[in-house]
Amino acid sequence: FSAAIAITEQPVSVSVPVGYSFTLRCRAEGRTSLQYQWFCQHQSVCCPIPGATKQDLPITAQQTQLYTCRINDLYKNAIFSDWVKVEVHQCVARGLPPQLWRGEPVIVVNPTEQRVEVGKPLQLQCAAMGIPAPSYQWYQNGNLLEHQKKKKLWITHAKVSDSGTYLCCASNSHGEHWTNAVDIHIGETLPPAEHLQLCHFVFPLATGKIALLVGNNRYQHHPNLMAPVTDVFELSLLLEQLGFQVVSLLD
């Protein structure tokens, strides 16, 4: 004895820029004609969407919300689709995604380099747009981290062995995109006196204006960039004209 209603196509979660237009889809089969009603939930309030009574729900992304679709037949049987998340990114650089974007992952938040004391929490964060919403996998020194599969990498009590280079891969059915690689340093902090001496040693000219320019081209997990060497050269000329003492490092 089969169920009165069977969902043949579930809606899928997406991660899109604000203002982006797309469609959530739901398909079902039943013994009679079927009726559809979409619901949304925002800040724990769930309510039906007026007029959203078709299989497809067109959306222009404004804020992150959850959606589900109720399907019922003429015998008062009813079933709900999976809840899906429409994640909306408010701050996206101009020009991203391009007009021809087809839903492949696009990194919008990269992790940042950190120095953390032993025993303190370590949190790294990234985010990517994608249709369907991307899945995440973190790596440390090129090694896959089995249990780190979310946008946020969280280590409650950092150990020295947690030091290293981290990056995350965001992937969906259209492909994958890697974040920048960042160095994480876990260790004891210097006492204030030693820290002060170190500052005097490294920055003896701290009263002047100093600019440190670093141009990275050879990445372990990323294609070579277009022109970091040229960028460093042009920036150093500009900063020198502004009165900076420039230190340039490459790779």
Side-chain angles (χ1 to χ4, degrees):
F1 182 75
S2 60
I5 305 172
I7 294 179
T8 57
E9 182 180 349
Q10 293 277 7
V12 296
S13 296
V14 301
S15 181
V16 295
V18 64
Y20 189 80
S21 296
F22 62 97
T23 300
L24 289 180
R25 292 166 51 90
C26 184
R27 299 288 185 273
E29 294 177 349
R31 296 177 194 147
T32 72
S33 61
L34 300 176
Q35 297 172 330
Y36 292 77
Q37 175 63 61
W38 288 88
F39 293 76
C40 70
Q41 178 176 329
H42 181 63
Q43 295 177 342
S44 75
V45 177
C46 178
C47 54
I49 303 170
T53 56
K54 294 187 170 62
Q55 295 175 321
D56 292 350
L57 176 66
I59 294 175
T60 298
Q62 296 300 331
Q63 57 186 342
T64 297
Q65 294 188 133
L66 299 172
Y67 292 85
T68 186
C69 186
R70 184 190 67 206
I71 307 107
N72 54 273
D73 63 13
L74 302 181
Y75 297 121
K76 297 185 179 179
N77 296 303
I79 188 173
F80 280 85
S81 74
D82 295 341
W83 280 97
V84 293
K85 185 177 186 178
V86 173
E87 183 178 41
V88 180
H89 297 275
Q90 301 290 338
C91 302
V92 177
R94 276 183 306 185
L96 273 180
Q99 294 299 312
L100 299 177
W101 187 54
R102 291 288 177 263
E104 65 275 11
V106 176
I107 302 292
V108 292
V109 175
N110 275 288
T112 55
E113 183 173 336
Q114 292 185 44
R115 292 182 178 273
V116 178
E117 285 185 60
V118 171
K120 299 286 183 171
L122 167 65
Q123 179 178 298
L124 294 176
Q125 189 168 354
C126 74
M129 300 187 300
I131 302 173
S135 55
Y136 297 88
Q137 177 61 63
W138 287 89
Y139 293 79
Q140 178 195 13
N141 300 327
N143 298 313
L144 183 147
L145 296 172
E146 188 66 39
H147 302 296
Q148 300 291 357
K149 297 179 182 291
K150 297 182 179 178
K151 282 185 292 186
K152 290 183 180 179
L153 178 149
W154 175 259
I155 297 173
T156 312
H157 303 290
K159 307 183 295 293
V160 173
S161 59
D162 292 321
S163 296
T165 302
Y166 286 77
L167 77 169
C168 186
C169 178
S171 61
N172 66 11
S173 53
H174 296 290
E176 62 183 34
H177 199 166
W178 296 76
T179 67
N180 295 339
V182 294
D183 292 327
I184 303 302
H185 309 273
I186 314 292
E188 305 296 341
T189 54
L190 290 169
E194 289 183 36
H195 187 259
L196 204 58
Q197 289 173 357
L198 184 65
C199 287
H200 286 308
F201 174 72
V202 176
F203 301 113
L205 304 172
T207 52
K209 295 193 292 185
I210 301 173
L212 173 64
L213 297 178
V214 180
N216 282 328
N217 185 39
R218 289 194 293 269
Y219 285 99
Q220 186 177 359
H221 299 285
H222 196 284
N224 282 1
L225 301 180
M226 295 298 288
V229 177
T230 310
D231 293 344
V232 167
F233 177 72
E234 292 179 352
L235 269 176
S236 63
L237 288 179
L238 178 64
L239 288 167
E240 284 170 358
Q241 291 171 5
L242 295 173
F244 282 83
Q245 180 180 346
V246 178
V247 179
S248 298
L249 301 173
L250 296 173
D251 292 325

